[in-house]
Amino acid sequence: MRGAALLVAALLLAGALPASARDGASARIAAARYADPTARYDHGVLGDGLEWGSLVLRLSKGGTRRIVLPDTRVFEDLAPRLADLDGDGAPEVLAVETDLARGARLSVYGADGLIAATPFLGQPYRWLAPAGAADLDGDGRVEIAYVDRPHRARVLRIWRLEAGRLVPVAVAEGLTNHRIGDDVISGGLRTCGGTPELLLADPDWQRVIAVRLSGGQVSRRALPHPASPAGFAAAAACR
């Protein structure tokens, strides 16, 4: 795993854990939340001036673990997301982690700390918006999707966790899921007729776009719904 080389956060134990939970192989994450609000990064892309300084993991067998970022980083996100990314039956945590000098990246955390991460976007005030994690192409492996710089580049990037590292799968331009200052990331995942799709918006926020992955290629189609809260809700309900 790349975790040992990439982990700059300090992994702290909060409270006594049973012996089985202290064993990394048996410690399973039951829930996750951000903590320690901080104003050390003045981006405000999510509508306020506060980000998060730590990630708290609640373990299924009791106890918590706290991952504390250094002062040069924040979690620039709404909430951590749990998904079983490697098929072992235990969830990992997806988080948007931002370096004050290098911008955002998508990080995957386990009970013992950082597992893998995408590259930082390369400069401050550059962000990414998660879109979902699911087996998008039906091959039995979970893909992870986000929109790279949803207000500027508007590039959908799809990755997969393989052997402890994130591997790029597909890229598609001209898609977005967030507007500057919104305290919500629009769209997400739906499954209609047995096929999972990502729900995103076109660059002008006129229509909801349904995105599929097949054979490493992205296809898209405009749905008859405006890119509004009501439109995304209708699309998610397969209407």
Side-chain angles (χ1 to χ4, degrees):
M1 294 191 309
R2 295 196 302 164
L6 292 172
L7 182 59
V8 296
L11 180 63
L12 305 177
L13 297 183
L17 299 179
S20 60
R22 288 196 296 268
D23 179 356
S26 59
R28 294 168 60 102
I29 299 169
R33 63 179 176 86
Y34 294 128
D36 299 323
T38 175
R40 63 181 177 242
Y41 186 56
D42 60 348
H43 193 190
V45 72
L46 291 166
D48 62 28
L50 294 178
E51 309 303 342
W52 305 99
S54 66
L55 173 66
V56 180
L57 308 177
R58 181 167 61 82
L59 304 180
S60 60
K61 293 188 177 182
T64 60
R65 292 183 179 179
R66 182 182 293 263
I67 295 163
V68 180
L69 294 178
D71 289 344
T72 56
R73 295 194 184 174
V74 297
F75 290 112
E76 191 177 13
D77 202 358
L78 296 170
R81 300 149 190 84
L82 269 62
D84 180 7
L85 303 176
D86 56 10
D88 67 352
E92 287 76 39
V93 176
L94 286 165
V96 181
E97 182 178 342
T98 295
D99 185 274
L100 276 59
R102 293 180 288 172
R105 71 179 183 183
L106 191 68
S107 296
V108 178
Y109 282 93
D112 292 321
L114 186 69
I115 296 172
T118 63
F120 289 106
L121 294 180
Q123 64 185 97
Y125 310 119
R126 298 295 182 265
W127 184 69
L128 61 87
D135 180 5
L136 296 174
D137 56 4
D139 68 351
R141 297 176 293 176
V142 172
E143 285 77 38
I144 306 160
Y146 66 78
V147 178
D148 174 352
R149 293 159 293 168
H151 324 115
R152 293 173 176 265
R154 302 180 181 91
V155 176
L156 173 67
R157 298 190 184 276
I158 300 176
W159 301 72
R160 189 181 294 125
L161 183 65
E162 295 182 355
R165 57 189 294 264
L166 286 172
V167 177
V169 174
V171 176
E173 298 182 353
L175 296 162
T176 188
N177 60 350
H178 186 263
R179 296 195 237 206
I180 292 177
D182 281 0
D183 62 355
V184 64
I185 296 172
S186 298
L189 285 162
R190 75 171 188 176
T191 300
C192 301
T195 301
E197 296 178 310
L198 295 166
L199 296 178
L200 302 169
D202 63 26
D204 297 324
W205 286 88
Q206 297 301 304
R207 290 289 176 187
V208 176
I209 307 296
V211 173
R212 294 186 180 186
L213 177 69
S214 179
Q217 300 297 314
V218 171
S219 63
R220 71 187 83 186
R221 60 193 174 93
L223 300 181
H225 303 297
S228 65
F232 279 112
C238 301
R239 297 200 296 269

